[in-house]
Amino acid sequence: MTDNGTLKVAMPKGRIYKQASKLFRQAGLPIPEDFDDSRKLIIPVPEANMEFIMAKPVDVPTYVEYGVADIGIVGKDVLMEENKDVYELIDLGIAKCRMSVIGLPDWKPVINPRVATKYANVASQYFREQGQQVEVIKLNGSIELAPLIGLADRIVDMVETGQTLKENGLVEMETLFQVTSRLIANRVSYRLKNTAIQELCDRLGAIIGAAV
Ligand SMILES: Nc1ncnc2c1ncn2[C@@H]1O[C@H](COP(=O)(O)OP(=O)(O)OP(=O)(O)O)[C@@H](O)[C@H]1O
Ligand SMILES: O=P(O)(O)OC[C@H]1O[C@H](OP(=O)(O)OP(=O)(O)O)[C@H](O)[C@@H]1O
Protein backbone atom coordinates (compact mmCIF):
# COMPACT_ATOMS: atom_id res chain seq x y z
CA MET A 1 0.00 0.00 0.00
CA THR A 2 1.43 3.42 -0.83
CA ASP A 3 1.50 6.09 1.82
CA ASN A 4 2.37 9.05 -0.39
CA GLY A 5 -1.19 9.99 -1.29
CA THR A 6 -1.08 8.30 -4.71
CA LEU A 7 -4.12 6.07 -5.14
CA LYS A 8 -3.26 2.64 -6.51
CA VAL A 9 -6.16 1.55 -8.70
CA ALA A 10 -6.65 -2.06 -9.82
CA MET A 11 -8.07 -1.58 -13.30
CA PRO A 12 -9.57 -4.54 -15.18
CA LYS A 13 -8.00 -5.09 -18.59
CA GLY A 14 -10.48 -5.89 -21.32
CA ARG A 15 -14.01 -4.70 -21.89
CA ILE A 16 -14.39 -2.68 -18.66
CA TYR A 17 -11.21 -0.59 -19.03
CA LYS A 18 -12.30 1.70 -21.85
CA GLN A 19 -15.64 2.44 -20.20
CA ALA A 20 -13.98 3.01 -16.82
CA SER A 21 -11.30 5.34 -18.16
CA LYS A 22 -13.98 7.26 -20.08
CA LEU A 23 -16.02 7.64 -16.87
CA PHE A 24 -12.94 8.87 -14.99
CA ARG A 25 -12.32 11.46 -17.72
CA GLN A 26 -15.96 12.60 -17.56
CA ALA A 27 -15.47 13.00 -13.81
CA GLY A 28 -12.65 15.45 -14.55
CA LEU A 29 -9.69 13.12 -14.02
CA PRO A 30 -7.10 13.60 -16.79
CA ILE A 31 -6.54 9.96 -17.78
CA PRO A 32 -4.36 9.95 -20.94
CA GLU A 33 -5.93 8.16 -23.90
CA ASP A 34 -2.52 6.76 -24.98
CA PHE A 35 -2.97 3.86 -22.58
CA ASP A 36 -6.29 2.59 -23.96
CA ASP A 37 -4.56 0.03 -26.18
CA SER A 38 -1.31 -0.28 -24.21
CA ARG A 39 0.26 -3.52 -22.95
CA LYS A 40 1.85 -1.75 -20.00
CA LEU A 41 0.82 -3.30 -16.66
CA ILE A 42 1.68 -0.46 -14.28
CA ILE A 43 0.59 2.92 -15.56
CA PRO A 44 1.45 6.04 -13.57
CA VAL A 45 -1.21 8.72 -13.89
CA PRO A 46 0.44 11.59 -11.97
CA GLU A 47 -2.06 14.09 -13.40
CA ALA A 48 -4.76 12.37 -11.30
CA ASN A 49 -2.45 11.36 -8.44
CA MET A 50 -3.09 7.70 -9.30
CA GLU A 51 -1.33 4.60 -10.49
CA PHE A 52 -3.25 2.01 -12.50
CA ILE A 53 -2.47 -1.67 -11.99
CA MET A 54 -3.77 -3.44 -15.09
CA ALA A 55 -5.25 -6.68 -13.80
CA LYS A 56 -7.20 -9.63 -15.13
CA PRO A 57 -10.77 -8.72 -14.10
CA VAL A 58 -11.23 -11.76 -11.86
CA ASP A 59 -8.09 -10.83 -9.88
CA VAL A 60 -9.12 -7.24 -9.04
CA PRO A 61 -10.80 -8.11 -5.67
CA THR A 62 -7.67 -10.07 -4.64
CA TYR A 63 -5.33 -7.10 -5.24
CA VAL A 64 -7.69 -4.86 -3.31
CA GLU A 65 -8.22 -7.28 -0.42
CA TYR A 66 -4.44 -7.62 0.04
CA GLY A 67 -4.00 -3.84 -0.15
CA VAL A 68 -1.56 -3.82 -3.07
CA ALA A 69 -4.26 -1.71 -4.71
CA ASP A 70 -6.19 0.83 -2.61
CA ILE A 71 -9.24 0.70 -4.83
CA GLY A 72 -10.40 -1.23 -7.88
CA ILE A 73 -13.07 -1.57 -10.51
CA VAL A 74 -14.82 -4.89 -10.90
CA GLY A 75 -18.04 -6.42 -12.23
CA LYS A 76 -20.69 -7.44 -9.69
CA ASP A 77 -20.44 -10.96 -11.18
CA VAL A 78 -16.81 -11.24 -10.08
CA LEU A 79 -17.53 -9.64 -6.69
CA MET A 80 -20.27 -12.21 -6.01
CA GLU A 81 -18.10 -15.10 -7.16
CA GLU A 82 -14.88 -14.12 -5.37
CA ASN A 83 -16.54 -12.95 -2.13
CA LYS A 84 -13.47 -11.03 -0.90
CA ASP A 85 -13.22 -8.84 2.18
CA VAL A 86 -13.44 -5.40 0.50
CA TYR A 87 -15.74 -2.39 0.66
CA GLU A 88 -18.13 -1.92 -2.25
CA LEU A 89 -18.36 1.86 -2.64
CA ILE A 90 -20.25 2.83 -5.79
CA ASP A 91 -22.24 1.23 -8.59
CA LEU A 92 -20.53 2.79 -11.62
CA GLY A 93 -23.33 1.72 -13.95
CA ILE A 94 -20.90 0.65 -16.70
CA ALA A 95 -20.37 -2.73 -18.44
CA LYS A 96 -24.02 -3.70 -18.03
CA CYS A 97 -25.06 -7.30 -18.51
CA ARG A 98 -26.84 -10.02 -16.54
CA MET A 99 -26.11 -13.39 -15.01
CA SER A 100 -28.50 -16.01 -16.34
CA VAL A 101 -29.34 -19.69 -16.51
CA ILE A 102 -29.21 -20.77 -20.15
CA GLY A 103 -30.09 -23.94 -21.99
CA LEU A 104 -31.30 -25.46 -25.22
CA PRO A 105 -34.95 -24.64 -26.03
CA ASP A 106 -35.94 -28.32 -25.75
CA TRP A 107 -34.30 -28.69 -22.32
CA LYS A 108 -36.10 -31.12 -20.00
CA PRO A 109 -35.55 -31.49 -16.23
CA VAL A 110 -33.35 -34.44 -15.27
CA ILE A 111 -32.22 -35.79 -11.91
CA ASN A 112 -28.93 -34.20 -10.73
CA PRO A 113 -28.38 -32.10 -13.89
CA ARG A 114 -24.94 -30.80 -14.84
CA VAL A 115 -24.46 -27.04 -14.94
CA ALA A 116 -21.34 -25.59 -16.60
CA THR A 117 -20.08 -22.13 -15.64
CA LYS A 118 -17.16 -19.80 -14.92
CA TYR A 119 -19.08 -18.80 -11.77
CA ALA A 120 -19.07 -22.02 -9.72
CA ASN A 121 -19.81 -20.34 -6.35
CA VAL A 122 -22.62 -18.18 -7.72
CA ALA A 123 -24.21 -21.13 -9.52
CA SER A 124 -23.88 -23.50 -6.54
CA GLN A 125 -25.48 -20.98 -4.19
CA TYR A 126 -28.29 -20.21 -6.64
CA PHE A 127 -29.32 -23.82 -7.17
CA ARG A 128 -28.94 -24.59 -3.45
CA GLU A 129 -31.34 -21.72 -2.68
CA GLN A 130 -33.72 -23.10 -5.32
CA GLY A 131 -33.59 -26.48 -3.58
CA GLN A 132 -32.20 -28.08 -6.74
CA GLN A 133 -29.39 -30.58 -6.57
CA VAL A 134 -26.99 -30.02 -9.48
CA GLU A 135 -23.44 -30.94 -10.41
CA VAL A 136 -21.50 -27.77 -11.18
CA ILE A 137 -18.73 -28.06 -13.78
CA LYS A 138 -16.22 -25.20 -13.81
CA LEU A 139 -15.14 -23.94 -17.25
CA ASN A 140 -13.04 -20.91 -18.14
CA GLY A 141 -14.58 -19.65 -21.38
CA SER A 142 -16.82 -20.46 -24.36
CA ILE A 143 -19.35 -21.66 -21.78
CA GLU A 144 -22.10 -21.86 -24.42
CA LEU A 145 -20.34 -24.89 -25.91
CA ALA A 146 -21.28 -27.06 -22.92
CA PRO A 147 -24.98 -27.71 -23.71
CA LEU A 148 -24.26 -27.86 -27.46
CA ILE A 149 -21.81 -30.75 -27.14
CA GLY A 150 -23.49 -32.56 -24.27
CA LEU A 151 -21.16 -31.63 -21.42
CA ALA A 152 -23.91 -29.95 -19.40
CA ASP A 153 -27.70 -29.63 -19.34
CA ARG A 154 -27.62 -25.94 -18.54
CA ILE A 155 -25.07 -23.16 -18.08
CA VAL A 156 -24.85 -20.08 -15.88
CA ASP A 157 -23.23 -17.23 -17.79
CA MET A 158 -23.33 -13.56 -18.69
CA VAL A 159 -25.76 -12.23 -21.27
CA GLU A 160 -25.29 -8.77 -22.72
CA THR A 161 -26.77 -8.35 -26.21
CA GLY A 162 -28.00 -11.95 -26.48
CA GLN A 163 -26.03 -12.37 -29.71
CA THR A 164 -24.01 -15.36 -28.46
CA LEU A 165 -27.20 -17.18 -27.41
CA LYS A 166 -28.92 -16.40 -30.72
CA GLU A 167 -26.00 -17.59 -32.84
CA ASN A 168 -25.83 -20.84 -30.89
CA GLY A 169 -29.56 -21.60 -30.65
CA LEU A 170 -29.69 -21.23 -26.86
CA VAL A 171 -32.33 -19.56 -24.67
CA GLU A 172 -32.22 -17.64 -21.43
CA MET A 173 -34.29 -19.43 -18.80
CA GLU A 174 -33.88 -17.34 -15.63
CA THR A 175 -31.97 -14.21 -14.66
CA LEU A 176 -30.04 -14.45 -11.38
CA PHE A 177 -29.09 -10.75 -11.13
CA GLN A 178 -28.18 -7.65 -13.13
CA VAL A 179 -24.48 -6.87 -13.43
CA THR A 180 -22.65 -3.53 -13.56
CA SER A 181 -19.14 -2.56 -12.51
CA ARG A 182 -18.45 -1.41 -8.96
CA LEU A 183 -15.78 0.72 -7.30
CA ILE A 184 -14.30 -1.26 -4.40
CA ALA A 185 -11.79 -0.30 -1.70
CA ASN A 186 -9.34 -1.97 0.64
CA ARG A 187 -10.61 -1.59 4.22
CA VAL A 188 -7.38 -0.02 5.57
CA SER A 189 -6.87 2.24 2.54
CA TYR A 190 -10.42 3.46 2.94
CA ARG A 191 -9.48 4.87 6.34
CA LEU A 192 -5.91 6.01 5.57
CA LYS A 193 -6.69 7.58 2.20
CA ASN A 194 -10.24 8.58 2.95
CA THR A 195 -9.96 12.13 1.61
CA ALA A 196 -8.69 11.02 -1.81
CA ILE A 197 -11.12 8.10 -2.05
CA GLN A 198 -14.07 10.21 -0.94
CA GLU A 199 -13.19 12.92 -3.46
CA LEU A 200 -13.08 10.31 -6.23
CA CYS A 201 -16.45 8.90 -5.09
CA ASP A 202 -17.98 12.40 -5.09
CA ARG A 203 -16.70 13.14 -8.59
CA LEU A 204 -17.87 9.79 -9.96
CA GLY A 205 -21.16 10.02 -8.08
CA ALA A 206 -21.89 13.41 -9.66
CA ILE A 207 -21.34 12.02 -13.16
CA ILE A 208 -23.30 8.84 -12.57
CA GLY A 209 -26.13 10.79 -10.93
CA ALA A 210 -26.21 13.16 -13.91
CA ALA A 211 -26.38 10.21 -16.33
CA VAL A 212 -29.48 8.67 -14.67
N1 LIG B 1 -20.92 -9.59 -22.68
C1 LIG B 1 -20.28 -9.70 -21.53
N2 LIG B 1 -19.80 -10.88 -21.17
C2 LIG B 1 -19.10 -11.03 -20.03
N3 LIG B 1 -18.84 -10.03 -19.18
C3 LIG B 1 -19.32 -8.82 -19.48
C4 LIG B 1 -20.04 -8.62 -20.67
N4 LIG B 1 -20.36 -7.31 -20.70
C5 LIG B 1 -19.86 -6.75 -19.62
N5 LIG B 1 -19.23 -7.66 -18.86
C6 LIG B 1 -18.51 -7.35 -17.60
O1 LIG B 1 -17.13 -7.26 -17.95
C7 LIG B 1 -16.33 -7.95 -17.01
C8 LIG B 1 -15.01 -8.34 -17.62
O2 LIG B 1 -15.22 -9.07 -18.78
P1 LIG B 1 -13.98 -9.47 -19.68
O3 LIG B 1 -14.53 -10.32 -20.77
O4 LIG B 1 -13.18 -8.26 -20.02
O5 LIG B 1 -13.11 -10.31 -18.68
P2 LIG B 1 -12.87 -11.83 -18.61
O6 LIG B 1 -14.15 -12.57 -18.85
O7 LIG B 1 -12.14 -12.08 -17.32
O8 LIG B 1 -11.97 -11.99 -19.87
P3 LIG B 1 -10.67 -12.79 -20.09
O9 LIG B 1 -10.88 -14.14 -19.44
O10 LIG B 1 -10.64 -12.81 -21.58
O11 LIG B 1 -9.57 -11.97 -19.45
C9 LIG B 1 -17.20 -9.07 -16.50
O12 LIG B 1 -16.77 -9.50 -15.23
C10 LIG B 1 -18.59 -8.39 -16.46
O13 LIG B 1 -18.74 -7.69 -15.25
O1 LIG C 1 -24.89 -11.49 -24.92
P1 LIG C 1 -23.59 -11.23 -25.63
O2 LIG C 1 -23.45 -9.78 -26.02
O3 LIG C 1 -23.38 -12.15 -26.78
O4 LIG C 1 -22.40 -11.45 -24.58
C1 LIG C 1 -22.32 -12.62 -23.81
C2 LIG C 1 -21.09 -13.40 -24.09
O5 LIG C 1 -19.93 -12.60 -23.78
C3 LIG C 1 -19.13 -13.30 -22.83
O6 LIG C 1 -18.17 -14.08 -23.43
P2 LIG C 1 -16.70 -13.55 -23.71
O7 LIG C 1 -16.71 -12.66 -24.90
O8 LIG C 1 -16.16 -12.92 -22.45
O9 LIG C 1 -15.96 -14.87 -24.07
P3 LIG C 1 -15.51 -16.07 -23.12
O10 LIG C 1 -16.58 -16.31 -22.08
O11 LIG C 1 -15.40 -17.22 -24.07
O12 LIG C 1 -14.21 -15.66 -22.51
C4 LIG C 1 -20.11 -14.21 -22.10
O13 LIG C 1 -19.45 -15.30 -21.48
C5 LIG C 1 -21.04 -14.62 -23.21
O14 LIG C 1 -20.51 -15.71 -23.94
Side-chain angles (χ1 to χ4, degrees):
M1 211 176 309
T2 49
D3 53 8
N4 60 3
T6 298
L7 274 184
K8 287 198 174 192
V9 187
M11 274 286 189
K13 292 190 286 186
R15 43 169 49 101
I16 299 181
Y17 179 71
K18 277 194 182 170
Q19 294 182 56
S21 56
K22 185 175 163 206
L23 189 69
F24 274 33
R25 283 185 203 110
Q26 287 170 336
L29 296 156
I31 313 298
E33 300 207 14
D34 336 350
F35 295 118
D36 283 6
D37 298 310
S38 167
R39 298 282 304 160
K40 233 170 125 61
L41 296 174
I42 301 178
I43 302 179
V45 192
E47 305 87 342
N49 212 10
M50 289 179 180
E51 181 175 87
F52 289 173
I53 296 160
M54 304 305 293
K56 193 170 164 70
V58 71
D59 293 333
V60 165
T62 303
Y63 295 123
V64 173
E65 182 181 58
Y66 277 88
V68 292
D70 299 304
I71 58 173
I73 295 180
V74 63
K76 184 70 179 175
D77 51 324
V78 171
L79 263 190
M80 301 278 283
E81 178 65 18
E82 296 297 313
N83 200 19
K84 300 289 184 191
D85 186 22
V86 295
Y87 286 133
E88 183 179 333
L89 301 178
I90 308 187
D91 181 348
L92 298 170
I94 56 172
K96 281 189 190 155
C97 47
R98 55 193 184 270
M99 179 79 73
S100 295
V101 181
I102 292 154
L104 286 162
D106 60 359
W107 173 82
K108 301 221 172 28
V110 292
I111 295 167
N112 204 11
R114 292 196 299 221
V115 175
T117 186
K118 259 190 201 177
Y119 303 91
N121 294 328
V122 166
S124 299
Q125 187 184 341
Y126 174 75
F127 287 108
R128 199 167 44 245
E129 285 169 6
Q130 300 289 308
Q132 293 182 46
Q133 196 172 342
V134 303
E135 179 186 345
V136 172
I137 301 173
K138 161 91 178 168
L139 292 178
N140 295 296
S142 300
I143 313 297
E144 289 83 357
L145 269 177
L148 301 179
I149 60 176
L151 175 65
D153 304 280
R154 285 176 285 174
I155 62 172
V156 170
D157 198 24
M158 311 298 307
V159 180
E160 186 186 2
T161 62
Q163 186 70 17
T164 308
L165 299 188
K166 202 169 149 202
E167 289 192 21
N168 292 289
L170 294 164
V171 291
E172 212 173 341
M173 301 158 95
E174 290 141 43
T175 299
L176 277 58
F177 51 86
Q178 301 294 323
V179 170
T180 45
S181 296
R182 311 299 161 107
L183 184 72
I184 59 172
N186 171 267
R187 289 182 179 273
V188 176
S189 299
Y190 187 69
R191 276 192 280 117
L192 297 183
K193 299 189 178 181
N194 191 264
T195 308
I197 294 176
Q198 202 50 55
E199 190 193 326
L200 176 65
C201 288
D202 291 347
R203 281 171 177 264
L204 292 170
I207 289 299
I208 297 159
V212 174

